[in-house]
């Protein structure tokens, strides 16, 4: 760019009077579409343009060029002739171009995007434009101010803002919200105000603006807060810009009220009354005191203690847990223990006056002995545990219990406490005798141990409890049970030997040996399956093949170790899952199809049969042509081979294709087959005459030519094969002084002179030769005109050409050419005439030399301006536009026009 600039500026130093730098200022909104006019440099610089009054004097005309196509140049389009500046297809985004920090500039060659302008909100696009030619040369500094539009809504950096306010915050407390909304727009289009969607009557928002113009929202407390009443406020903070119409953004604002220690512990009651029996054991629960503090955390921690007013005797007798407030008996009550205790308990909180509660404990002294319970067991009993077999009959006796009062002064009663099929009833006719018996059969599998209590009490309220444990003994009354009666398993084929199939599991509710289960295969299981007797692990010892057998079904037994043993039967079904272990198989490795040429496009050539022994996706086969896919296509589903186009045997007589069959497995398996397509010829090509090349060519025949001499030949080829390509030549039309003087060999196409030529035979002979093949069902043919001019020389070429141009009046002779072999004696005669032919050839060469000299002499004398020495007198009329040179097995003779 610097080099370009020097190249332009260097020669202009001598034109300083016309060179000067100019500045132009424009402004436009961001986001405008392409083609919006920014300004006209020629008009604003007051320069003459091609359309102005001085248009005639602008030689060359003015041109305007950007000095560089940098970053700024991509946003504008400059018309080089008119100097009009338009917006380009690249949309201008002010927020993306201009950095909001003071003085930031993004350079792009001699064009730049700048925000270092007098106004902090301005964004300038700087361009350097060269005005040529050199008579009007100047460097124009174009400054384009990009005006902001309100195309961005305010957005909070986080979707959820959390703020904490202490519950004792006074009214008008201000707390800054640390995540204000951001708006890329500037000026009035930026964030202007904040508001709360729900202020709950205790909050409001205020906005403070610092010296840099940044606006920060503040939360202001407008009412009293109490965490114990409401500990959290959830609302929405909304930021709104000053655009028209204004755009808004929002975030969730959660205001948490933090706790302060403004509550003290409190008891729900001021006094508790408790009664305690004098025979109570140590650790007996006396009472529990509980105080409540509405604060949180450490502010709500409460400890309990005795007041100093509580005597030491009471402190020693009753233990107070300072954390839980539980009072328990810690010393044995005796005859000297006071009967009334007043326990004053304090509930202590941090920084609070203790809460007070009084617990009055009254001790009742006991002077009588409790009743006695004497058991006499009938069933087997060891150390207080009675053992009964399950399935014992109803009303099986367990034990007798004798209930008596040691003082013999009070009436004693008893009853049974506890769950189970047991009954305690008086045993008549005896007093204070009770019988414990069963009420229904016991079941070990339902419950093995029962714990019941015989409770006796007297009329004064004293009682005693005797605990009896009943252990149920197991019996083999349950058969093993499989978790499933039908066990459905699956395994992939080609598994490793001794592959794991499943672990069978049967449960027996009986215990001990009676619940131990052994596993056995049923008689219908194949020998290569094995089942571990102890673990129930089912394995297969051999490799399974899905293609051989897909499903197995047999039984298994679970037998316990009881006497007699019990068993159960389950059915196992095993599905052998397919694995892609079989490649697609073609019915034949090689396929051959015979198709007549010109077979219509997409006609069915043949069907390729392929199978895959696998199942499902693994057995799905896709066929494709590996070579020749531009000509042939195969139907994947049906295997039908088709040609996209009609086939021409003359272009290609056979095709060898390789067809690939790929299955749908992963990984896929494939196989290939060779397809040979042989095209059968049909007679669709007439013979192609290669010589003579035109119906307008002719050959000079000297009158001295001997009979039997070859004059010329007709040479043709046929693109077909077989009999369709066997060519026969025949003369079907003649015109001339004595047209029967010439004959054509039907096999070779050689034209020979039959009879000697006389003086009257001079002139032009026109032979219409028919070239026909032996095709079936109908032969095809072509025709060519062979022109022979019998004369000593050619004196008037124009005359001969005019004769050739006339339509010949030739009657067509419809004769079938006969291809026959010439007798051998004629060849011998020709061979015997060899000396004569040599002599005649020498004479002919002399005549030709004489005629050539005379011709040169005549041409020199005429001296025509339109010299036609290099003009070819033979008019070439192509017989067929398409000639394949590789088909030419014989080179045509070159016959010059004399």
């Amino acid at each position: 760019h610097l080099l370009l600039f020097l190249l332009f500026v260097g020669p202009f130093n001598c034109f300083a009077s016309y060179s000067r730098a100019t500045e132009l200022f424009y402004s436009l909104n961001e986001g405008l579409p392409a083609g919006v006019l920014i300004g006209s440099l020629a008009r604003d610089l007051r320069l003459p343009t091609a359309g102005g009054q001085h248009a005639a004097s602008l030689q060359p005309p003015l041109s305007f060029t950007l000095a560089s196509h940098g970053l700024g140049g991509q946003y504008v389009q400059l018309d080089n002739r008119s100097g009009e500046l338009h917006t380009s297809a690249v949309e201008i985004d002010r927020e993306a171009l201009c950095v909001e920090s003071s003085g930031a500039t993004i350079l792009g060659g001699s064009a730049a995007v700048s925000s270092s302008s007098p106004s902090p909100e301005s964004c300038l696009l700087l361009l350097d434009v060269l005005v040529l030619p050199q008579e009007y040369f100047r460097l124009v500094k174009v400054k384009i101010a990009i005006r902001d539009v309100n195309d961005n809504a305010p957005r909070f950096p986080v979707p959820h803002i959390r703020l904490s306010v202490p519950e004792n915050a006074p009214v008008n407390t201000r707390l800054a919200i640390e995540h204000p909304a951001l708006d890329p727009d500037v000026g009035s289009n930026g964030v202007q105000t904040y508001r709360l969607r729900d202020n709950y009557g205790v909050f409001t928002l205020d906005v403070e603006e610092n010296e840099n113009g940044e606006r920060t929202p503040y939360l202001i407390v407008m009412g009293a807060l109490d965490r114990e009443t409401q500990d959290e406020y959830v609302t929405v903070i909304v930021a709104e810009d000053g655009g028209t119409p204004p755009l808004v953004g929002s975030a969730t604002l959660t205001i948490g009220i933090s706790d302060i220690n403004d509550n003290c512990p409190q008891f729900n009651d001021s006094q508790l009354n408790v009664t305690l029996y004098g025979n109570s054991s140590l650790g007996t629960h006396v009472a529990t005191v509980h105080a409540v503090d509405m604060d949180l955390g450490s502010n709500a921690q409460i400890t309990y203690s005795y007041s100093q007013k509580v005597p030491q005797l009471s402190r020693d007798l009753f233990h107070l847990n300072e954390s839980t407030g539980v009072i328990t008996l810690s010393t044995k009550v005796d005859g000297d223990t006071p009967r009334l205790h007043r326990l004053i308990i304090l509930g202590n909180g941090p920084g609070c006056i203790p809460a007070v509660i009084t617990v009055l404990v009254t001790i009742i002294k006991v002077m009588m002995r409790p009743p006695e319970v004497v058991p006499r067991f009938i069933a087997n009993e060891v150390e207080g545990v009675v053992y009964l077999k399950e399935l014992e009959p109803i009303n099986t006796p367990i034990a007798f219990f004798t209930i008596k009062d040691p003082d013999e002064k009070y009436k004693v009663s008893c009853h049974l406490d506890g769950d189970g099929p047991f009954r305690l009833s008086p045993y008549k006719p005896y007093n204070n005798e009770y019988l414990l018996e069963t009420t229904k059969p016991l079941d070990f599998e339902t419950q093995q141990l029962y714990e019941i209590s015989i409770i006796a009490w007297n009329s004064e309220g004293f009682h005693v409890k005797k605990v009896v444990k009943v252990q149920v003994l197991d019996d083999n009354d349950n058969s093993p049970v499989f978790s499933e009666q039908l066990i459905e398993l699956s395994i992939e084929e080609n598994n490793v030997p001794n592959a794991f199939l499943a672990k069978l599991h049967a449960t027996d509710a009986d215990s001990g040996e009676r619940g131990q289960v052994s596993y056995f295969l049923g008689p219908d299981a194949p020998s290569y399956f094995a089942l571990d007797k102890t673990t129930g692990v089912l394995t297969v010892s051999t490799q399974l093949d899905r293609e051989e057998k897909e499903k197995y079904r047999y039984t298994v037994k679970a037998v316990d170790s009881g006497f007699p043993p019990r068993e159960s039967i389950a059915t196992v079904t095993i599905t052998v899952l397919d694995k892609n272990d079989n490649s697609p198989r073609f019915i034949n490795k090689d396929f051959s199809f015979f198709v007549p040429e010109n077979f219509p496009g997409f006609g069915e050539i043949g069907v390729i049969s392929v199978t895959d022994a696998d199942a499902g996706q693994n057995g799905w086969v896709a066929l494709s042509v590996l070579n020749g896919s531009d000509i042939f296509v195969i139907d994947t589903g049906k295997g039908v081979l088709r040609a996209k186009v009609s086939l021409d045997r003359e272009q290609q007589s056979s095709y060898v294709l390789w067809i690939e069959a790929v299955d749908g497995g992963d990984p896929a398996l494939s196989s290939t087959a060779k397809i040979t397509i042989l095209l059968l010829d049909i007679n669709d090509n007439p013979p192609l005459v290669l010589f003579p090349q035109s119906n307008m060519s002719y050959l000079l025949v000297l009158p001295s030519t001997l009979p039997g001499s070859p004059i010329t030949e007709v040479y043709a080829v046929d693109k077909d094969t077989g009999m369709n390509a066997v060519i026969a030549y025949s003369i079907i039309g003649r015109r001339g002084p004595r047209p029967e003087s010439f004959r054509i060999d039907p096999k070779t196409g050689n034209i020979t002179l039959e009879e000697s030529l006389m003086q009257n035979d001079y002139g032009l002979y026109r032979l219409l030769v028919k070239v026909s093949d032996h095709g079936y069902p109908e032969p095809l043919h072509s025709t060519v005109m062979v022109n022979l001019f019998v004369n000593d020389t050619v004196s008037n070429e124009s005359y001969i050409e005019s004769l050739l141009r006339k339509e010949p009046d030739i009657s067509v002779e419809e004769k079938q050419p006969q291809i026959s072999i010439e007798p051998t004696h004629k060849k011998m005669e020709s061979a015997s005439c060899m000396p004569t032919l040599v002599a005649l050839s020498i004479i002919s060469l002399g005549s030709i030399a004489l005629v050539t000299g005379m011709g040169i002499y005549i041409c020199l004398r005429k001296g025509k301006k339109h010299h036609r020495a290099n003009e070819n007198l033979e008019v070439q009329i192509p017989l067929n536009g398409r000639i394949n040179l590789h088909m030419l097995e014989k080179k045509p003779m070159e016959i010059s026009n004399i």
Side-chain angles (χ1 to χ4, degrees), residues 349-386:
C352 290
I353 299 174
V356 180
I357 187 173
T358 301
V359 179
L360 291 178
V361 182
T362 303
I363 298 176
I364 301 175
K365 291 187 178 182
V366 178
M367 303 304 296
M368 62 184 67
R369 291 183 295 174
E372 293 181 0
V373 178
V374 180
R376 295 193 304 276
F377 292 98
I378 302 171
N380 184 24
E381 180 267 339
V382 178
E383 297 180 353
V385 178
V386 178

Side-chain angles (χ1 to χ4, degrees), residues 385-386 419 422 444 447-451 469-472:
V385 178
V386 178
D419 296 329
F422 306 103
F444 175 85
Q447 187 169 345
Q448 295 86 34
L449 181 65
Y450 295 90
E451 186 173 307
K469 293 182 179 179
V470 179
Q471 176 69 54
V472 182

Side-chain angles (χ1 to χ4, degrees), residues 284-310:
T284 299
H285 178 269
V286 178
T288 300
V289 294
H290 180 69
V292 178
D293 192 323
M294 299 299 294
D295 293 326
L296 292 177
S298 60
N299 294 332
Q301 289 182 354
I302 302 174
T303 59
Y304 303 93
S305 63
Y306 284 126
S307 171
Q308 295 181 357
K309 298 179 181 179
V310 178

Side-chain angles (χ1 to χ4, degrees), residues 681 683 718 720-727 773-776:
D681 184 51
N683 192 27
D718 196 312
D720 295 321
T721 59
M723 294 302 296
N724 294 333
V726 176
I727 298 175
D773 61 22
H774 285 66
Y776 179 83

Side-chain angles (χ1 to χ4, degrees), residues 604-668:
E604 181 177 328
I605 295 176
V607 177
I608 312 299
S609 299
V610 61
T611 61
D612 194 313
D614 294 321
Q617 187 75 13
N618 296 331
W620 181 85
V621 179
L623 298 175
S624 61
V625 182
L626 295 180
N627 60 326
S629 59
D630 54 338
I631 300 177
F632 296 94
V633 65
I634 191 166
D635 188 334
T636 297
K638 299 180 180 179
V640 177
L641 182 65
R642 306 176 189 273
K644 299 179 182 178
V645 297
S646 179
L647 302 178
D648 189 356
R649 191 209 60 79
E650 286 71 39
Q651 294 184 3
Q652 188 168 342
S653 61
S654 65
Y655 295 87
V656 176
L657 305 179
W658 289 96
I659 303 297
E660 182 183 38
V662 181
D663 63 23
D666 185 16

Side-chain angles (χ1 to χ4, degrees), residues 811-888:
S811 59
V812 178
E813 305 172 5
E814 290 297 335
K815 291 183 179 181
Q816 292 294 333
Q818 300 295 327
I819 301 176
S820 61
I821 301 175
E822 296 293 334
T824 57
H825 68 273
K826 291 186 177 180
K827 294 183 179 179
M828 294 177 61
E829 292 176 0
S830 298
S832 64
C833 296
M834 188 60 65
T836 306
L837 291 174
V838 172
L840 290 174
S841 299
I842 294 173
I843 296 172
S844 299
L845 289 174
S847 301
I848 291 172
L850 179 62
V851 171
T852 303
M854 292 178 63
I856 293 172
Y857 174 76
I858 293 171
C859 292
L860 291 175
R861 290 190 62 182
K862 288 183 177 180
K864 296 182 179 180
K865 293 182 181 180
H866 52 283
H867 185 59
R868 296 169 16 179
N870 296 328
E871 180 178 344
N872 189 353
L873 296 179
E874 180 180 6
V875 180
Q876 301 295 334
I877 301 178
L879 300 177
N880 194 327
R882 295 176 60 189
I883 301 177
N884 292 334
L885 297 180
H886 68 277
M887 299 294 294
L888 303 181

Side-chain angles (χ1 to χ4, degrees), residues 189-203:
N189 292 331
V191 178
Q192 299 297 319
T193 60
Y194 292 87
R195 69 175 184 273
L196 293 177
R197 192 164 292 173
D198 185 0
N199 58 18
Y200 294 95
V202 291
F203 299 107

Side-chain angles (χ1 to χ4, degrees), residues 20-225:
R20 64 183 184 272
T22 308
E23 285 191 356
L24 292 178
F25 295 89
Y26 300 105
S27 65
L28 76 159
N29 292 339
E30 63 173 327
L32 293 177
V36 176
L37 177 64
I38 300 173
S40 174
L41 273 65
R43 182 189 64 214
D44 297 335
L45 293 173
R46 298 182 180 178
L47 295 175
T49 59
Q53 299 177 356
H54 305 286
S57 62
L58 292 178
Q59 295 295 332
L62 285 175
S63 69
F64 300 85
T65 308
L66 286 175
S68 173
H69 295 277
L71 178 62
Q74 65 178 322
Y75 298 104
V76 297
Q77 290 287 342
L78 178 63
D79 191 305
N80 293 338
R81 293 302 179 190
S82 66
E84 289 186 349
L85 200 63
H86 296 82
T87 56
S88 70
V90 181
E91 184 178 292
I92 299 176
D93 185 0
R94 184 187 183 282
E95 290 73 33
L97 290 178
C98 296
V99 182
E100 296 214 5
S101 58
S102 177
T105 303
I106 304 172
L107 296 177
S110 61
V113 178
S114 171
S115 61
S116 56
S117 61
S119 173
E121 298 181 356
S122 63
C123 175
L124 293 182
L125 186 68
L126 306 182
L127 305 171
D128 289 348
V129 180
L130 296 176
V131 182
L132 296 174
Q134 59 186 5
E135 291 87 351
Y136 296 96
F137 170 76
R138 68 182 65 192
L139 175 65
V140 182
K141 299 273 187 183
V142 179
K143 296 183 179 181
I144 304 173
I146 309 302
R147 293 191 297 264
D148 182 48
V149 297
N150 191 28
D151 56 346
N152 292 280
R155 185 178 62 85
F156 286 90
V158 293
H160 194 113
I161 303 172
R162 187 169 186 86
L163 197 63
S164 180
V165 181
E167 62 176 325
N168 63 342
V171 176
N172 293 328
T173 298
R174 300 169 65 88
L175 296 102
I177 297 177
E178 297 180 355
H179 301 286
L182 305 176
D183 193 328
D185 297 325
V186 297
S188 61
N189 292 331
V191 178
Q192 299 297 319
T193 60
Y194 292 87
R195 69 175 184 273
L196 293 177
R197 192 164 292 173
D198 185 0
N199 58 18
Y200 294 95
V202 291
F203 299 107
T204 187
L205 286 179
D206 189 17
V207 180
E208 290 186 3
E209 183 175 355
N210 60 16
E211 57 184 7
N212 295 327
E214 297 176 350
R215 296 174 181 266
T216 303
Y218 280 80
L219 181 70
I220 301 176
V221 179
M222 300 298 294
L225 303 175

